[in-house]
Amino acid sequence: MNIAPSSFNQANYSLKELQDIFSALNSSIIVAITDRTGRITFVNDHFCKISKYKREELVGQDHRLLNSGFHQKSFFREMWKTIGKGEMWNGEVCNRAKDGSLYWVKTTIIPFMDENDKPYQYIAIRVDITAQKDIKKITHIAYHDELTGLPNRRKLEQRLEYEFHQSRRNGEKFALFFIDVNRFKHINDGLGHIIGDMFLVEMANRLRSIDFTSNSFYRHNSDEFVFILNDTSRIDEMAKEILSIFHESFIIDTYEFYASISIGICVFPDQANSIEELLKNADIAMYAAKTTRGNYYKLYLPNMDDDNDKWLMLETKLHQALKKDLLELHYQPKIDLKTGAIVGMEALLRWYDSDLGHLPPDRFIPFAEECGLINDIGVWVLRKASIQTHHWNKVYGLNLQVAVNISPIHISADGFVDMVRDVIAETKIDPSTLEIEITEMSMLDYTEKLIQTIGELKALGITISIDDFGTGYASLNYLKKFPVDVLKIDRAFVQDIISGKSGIAMISAIISLAHAMELKVVAEGVENEAELNVLRKYGCEYVQGYYFSKPLSAEDFTMNILEKVDSH
Ligand code: C2E
Ligand code: CA
Ligand code: CA
């Protein structure tokens, strides 16, 4: 038989001669010969050794016996296409030994052609590269985050080292973006770690889609990511692009929700002298961005240092304020539009610190949510508001209902309903005079648990309202699932009434929607007669706003509101 390997220089060996050569080769080369269908006709000793099969277990068998399942079908289809044409094929293949272990071989397959120029057998020559593969894998693991596949902190350190020296050598600048997920704790604790992990994976994928080739996103820590940008003229553009990937909701498992991030940016060497300082200042800028709530980015400014010290201090201060009863509640009256009577009030948190001055709740509530103080604050507010309301109703013979704002984090915490029950028992407040406001955002983390919680609160006799309605993205379908009683129209819509636009249309739509669902409507932030008239026209039940009264301290509420009501 004349063997004419197409890719070999026309060397003529008999099959027997080849087999002898391969058998004699006492090297690490792994050799197999198969017929045109892939049936094994010959293996050398080394083949047996690595595959852990005996020769007689191999010869006569289909070569697919060694398939590991690692490769896609198309991988082998391509291989067969190549060798079927009589061309040599090279590749790295993962095989499975008899004991189930995997090994990697660098493989060359040489087709041997018959007189009609058709391959009639194949010789495969392989070298074991398992060790190299493992090293590659180990290096990959060492420098990549297991969950998201993004380069990790170690890799980031290398990159920063590199950029630092580059910058020192040729004076080029680069920017470091510190990206932090807002309220990640909320997602993680509320929906569970698995959903939290899946969210981070999806987030990493979205980040990767921005920067596909240059690998400049790093996972720094649980929900912290870092982005390195060499072209500092594109800082704003890139920050906006990163923020924009959060405009779309995350659909994870059966949940759909929105997430937001805060980005702090620091430029080397303009705003930092060392890598540590670069990271520290980007972190400071990130905190500054966070305090503005929502998707936001901020460039580091030198005076932020003081701000950051303030923030570090803030946690301690807030702790103390809570412990020493330095927080205060103000009350804004709620008016029945039909009768003009005051039917209740919303309790709004106030904090005055002797160093920091007045801190608006919009600034410290998000912070309290981040640092985990929000639940204690919520309990404090509920207790304080209940004591006050019970007192007022008793003294003035009224039936005022107090509305308390509860953070989404708090309401989804274990034991929330038990805590409310305890507060009711302790303060003796009539539960029908208690209302709990949850934001539309809480509903997005829709869980059976929240529906159940609301049901249990209602069973206690408490009224439940949806705050800031229209600002989140809750769909009507969501709303229908929650057994709530009241919708609070966000101030932004009320303000749109006079600015023209679609304000009136929106207001009338929200009111008729609420009524169709048998919900009462409260409009907040009413500042003038014109707004009031529109709200009255469309049948809004209750209003709150500066037009009637700003939130007042308990004393002022007693003096300016209750004493006057009483004297009528
Ligand atoms: P919110 O629940 O939407 O409260 C209404 C906000 O609008 C209050 O701001 C109130 O003072 C203000 N406001 C009322 N009427 C008018 C008006 O006619 N015009 C204008 N421009 N504003 C008006 P505040 O007290 O600064 O509270 C801000 C946010 O902080 C609240 O928004 C609420 O989300 C949160 N918050 C306040 N107290 C608490 C609390 O005890 N617990 C929790 N979790 N959040 C609270
Ligand atoms: Ca509210
Ligand atoms: Ca509101």
Side-chain angles (χ1 to χ4, degrees):
M1 197 186 296
N2 185 27
I3 305 168
S6 62
S7 311
F8 268 17
N9 293 332
Q10 296 302 318
N12 289 339
Y13 296 102
S14 74
L15 184 58
K16 180 77 184 61
E17 278 169 333
L18 271 174
Q19 291 184 352
D20 287 346
I21 294 169
F22 291 137
S23 300
L25 275 174
N26 191 15
S27 70
S28 57
I29 290 180
I30 303 155
V31 183
I33 302 177
T34 69
D35 65 14
R36 67 157 62 86
T37 66
R39 208 157 47 90
I40 299 169
T41 54
F42 168 83
V43 288
N44 72 346
D45 289 344
H46 212 78
F47 192 108
C48 297
K49 202 166 141 203
I50 191 165
S51 70
K52 304 196 170 82
Y53 283 102
K54 294 200 186 91
R55 180 167 282 109
E56 53 272 28
E57 291 174 313
L58 290 166
V59 174
Q61 293 297 319
D62 192 303
H63 200 285
R64 274 177 296 200
L65 177 68
L66 301 160
N67 272 7
S68 62
F70 179 88
H71 304 279
Q72 308 239 305
K73 285 217 171 68
S74 57
F75 178 83
F76 291 111
R77 219 181 294 128
E78 283 302 309
M79 180 197 87
W80 278 105
K81 218 164 100 185
T82 307
I83 58 178
K85 283 190 291 197
E87 287 164 21
M88 193 160 85
W89 181 87
N90 286 299
E92 293 182 351
V93 184
C94 179
N95 281 342
R96 189 180 296 279
K98 190 181 177 183
D99 65 357
S101 63
L102 299 178
Y103 61 93
W104 279 88
V105 277
K106 198 174 176 70
T107 305
T108 300
I109 303 179
I110 306 155
F112 280 67
M113 317 303 275
D114 62 16
E115 300 79 8
N116 304 320
D117 226 20
K118 288 256 151 52
Y120 74 93
Q121 71 172 7
Y122 303 100
I123 299 192
I125 298 170
R126 300 176 169 91
V127 182
D128 183 3
I129 53 163
T130 311
Q132 276 158 267
K133 277 280 175 190
D134 281 350
I135 287 166
K136 253 197 206 157
K137 204 169 102 193
I138 289 164
T139 357
H140 187 87
I141 290 173
Y143 289 101
H144 287 81
D145 166 49
E146 209 180 335
L147 179 70
T148 63
L150 287 177
N152 62 12
R153 196 181 184 141
R154 209 172 289 135
K155 189 85 182 168
L156 174 66
E157 280 162 13
Q158 277 188 352
R159 169 82 181 265
L160 289 174
E161 193 90 356
Y162 171 82
E163 298 292 352
F164 176 81
H165 289 297
Q166 282 293 102
S167 174
R168 280 284 136 96
R169 219 179 343 242
N170 54 30
E172 275 171 19
K173 299 175 180 185
F174 71 96
L176 183 141
F177 289 43
F178 209 96
I179 304 166
D180 187 89
V181 181
N182 298 329
R183 301 196 193 189
F184 179 68
K185 197 173 152 38
H186 186 196
I187 299 175
N188 221 24
D189 294 356
L191 306 180
H193 294 275
I194 295 173
I195 301 294
D197 280 358
M198 286 163 82
F199 163 77
L200 291 173
V201 169
E202 168 65 15
M203 171 170 168
N205 287 341
R206 290 189 187 184
L207 292 175
R208 248 192 299 263
S209 72
I210 295 180
D211 170 63
F212 200 66
T213 45
S214 63
N215 249 342
S216 288
F217 281 104
Y218 300 80
R219 184 167 180 218
H220 186 254
N221 236 328
S222 120
D223 63 328
E224 294 167 3
F225 296 80
V226 163
F227 176 63
I228 303 289
L229 182 67
N230 291 101
D231 181 358
T232 50
S233 70
R234 296 179 61 214
I235 286 180
D236 288 287
E237 178 199 334
M238 284 310 296
K240 282 179 189 145
E241 195 168 343
I242 296 171
L243 290 173
S244 77
I245 62 174
F246 290 84
H247 291 168
E248 233 167 83
S249 66
F250 286 80
I251 300 174
I252 285 159
D253 201 23
T254 53
Y255 304 96
E256 176 171 9
F257 56 87
Y258 285 81
S260 66
I261 53 167
S262 305
I263 307 178
I265 304 165
C266 186
V267 176
F268 188 88
D270 299 9
Q271 301 159 343
N273 290 315
S274 63
I275 295 176
E276 293 77 56
E277 206 178 10
L278 179 69
L279 278 161
K280 186 179 133 234
N281 291 351
D283 191 38
I284 289 170
M286 187 278 289
Y287 261 97
K290 213 176 254 302
T291 60
T292 52
R293 220 175 202 187
N295 259 8
Y296 213 76
Y297 73 96
K298 271 211 166 122
L299 217 68
Y300 175 76
L301 296 170
N303 65 359
M304 275 179 186
D305 263 336
D306 317 340
D307 284 359
N308 188 58
D309 290 344
K310 272 190 204 163
W311 281 105
L312 290 178
M313 224 165 38
L314 208 57
E315 188 172 345
T316 326
K317 279 189 174 289
L318 195 50
H319 250 298
Q320 283 171 350
L322 193 60
K323 226 170 44 201
K324 297 185 183 157
D325 224 19
L326 300 175
L327 297 175
E328 214 190 315
L329 283 184
H330 280 198
Y331 298 89
Q332 184 175 43
K334 181 166 75 183
I335 286 102
D336 183 329
L337 247 183
K338 267 207 193 95
T339 63
I342 291 172
V343 291
M345 56 275 165
E346 176 173 6
L348 293 156
L349 199 51
R350 296 292 176 261
W351 180 20
Y352 176 78
D353 180 89
S354 48
D355 300 325
L356 306 175
H358 284 285
L359 284 134
D362 277 340
R363 283 200 70 188
F364 70 83
I365 297 275
F367 176 77
E369 286 173 339
E370 283 286 333
C371 73
L373 273 173
I374 193 63
N375 296 8
D376 292 343
I377 291 178
V379 176
W380 184 89
V381 171
L382 191 68
R383 183 176 287 131
K384 189 92 177 171
S386 299
I387 293 170
Q388 184 67 71
T389 304
H390 177 64
H391 173 76
W392 276 335
N393 283 339
K394 206 167 74 183
V395 171
Y396 293 94
L398 296 167
N399 206 25
L400 298 174
Q401 191 179 43
V402 69
V404 173
N405 294 284
I406 293 293
S407 156
I409 294 183
H410 195 188
I411 198 159
S412 45
D414 285 338
F416 181 78
V417 179
D418 290 337
M419 180 278 290
V420 174
R421 205 178 281 124
D422 290 348
V423 169
I424 291 171
E426 177 202 325
T427 63
K428 303 191 181 61
I429 188 174
D430 174 354
S432 72
T433 62
L434 187 58
E435 178 173 350
I436 285 181
E437 294 190 6
I438 56 173
T439 59
E440 200 190 19
M441 285 310 274
S442 350
M443 293 163 47
L444 291 173
D445 302 326
Y446 146 60
T447 52
E448 291 301 324
K449 191 174 163 199
L450 181 58
I451 294 178
Q452 196 190 331
T453 302
I454 292 177
E456 286 171 15
L457 290 171
K458 285 192 58 166
L460 295 178
I462 296 169
T463 304
I464 308 289
S465 60
I466 300 294
D467 202 358
D468 301 344
F469 186 76
T471 55
Y473 305 85
S475 68
L476 287 182
N477 274 339
Y478 268 91
L479 199 56
K480 270 193 279 187
K481 292 184 182 155
F482 291 87
V484 299
D485 309 284
V486 178
L487 270 196
K488 290 193 85 170
I489 303 182
D490 191 66
R491 195 168 72 223
F493 293 104
V494 175
Q495 276 166 354
D496 277 351
I497 290 181
I498 9 183
S499 71
K501 292 193 234 164
S502 51
I504 295 182
M506 272 307 284
I507 292 279
S508 69
I510 295 176
I511 294 175
S512 44
L513 159 83
H515 288 167
M517 296 172 75
E518 295 176 13
L519 304 176
K520 295 268 192 318
V521 181
V522 182
E524 58 182 17
V526 178
E527 292 183 355
N528 54 56
E529 186 96 36
E531 292 165 350
L532 194 66
N533 288 337
V534 170
L535 292 163
R536 189 180 282 123
K537 180 173 164 201
Y538 290 102
C540 173
E541 278 86 5
Y542 307 107
V543 284
Q544 269 175 249
Y546 293 173
Y547 182 65
F548 301 97
S549 171
K550 290 201 167 185
L552 303 169
S553 67
E555 263 170 29
D556 287 346
F557 196 89
T558 309
M559 297 298 291
N560 302 344
I561 309 282
L562 298 176
E563 289 293 333
K564 286 181 186 162
V565 170
D566 204 35
S567 62
H568 274 294

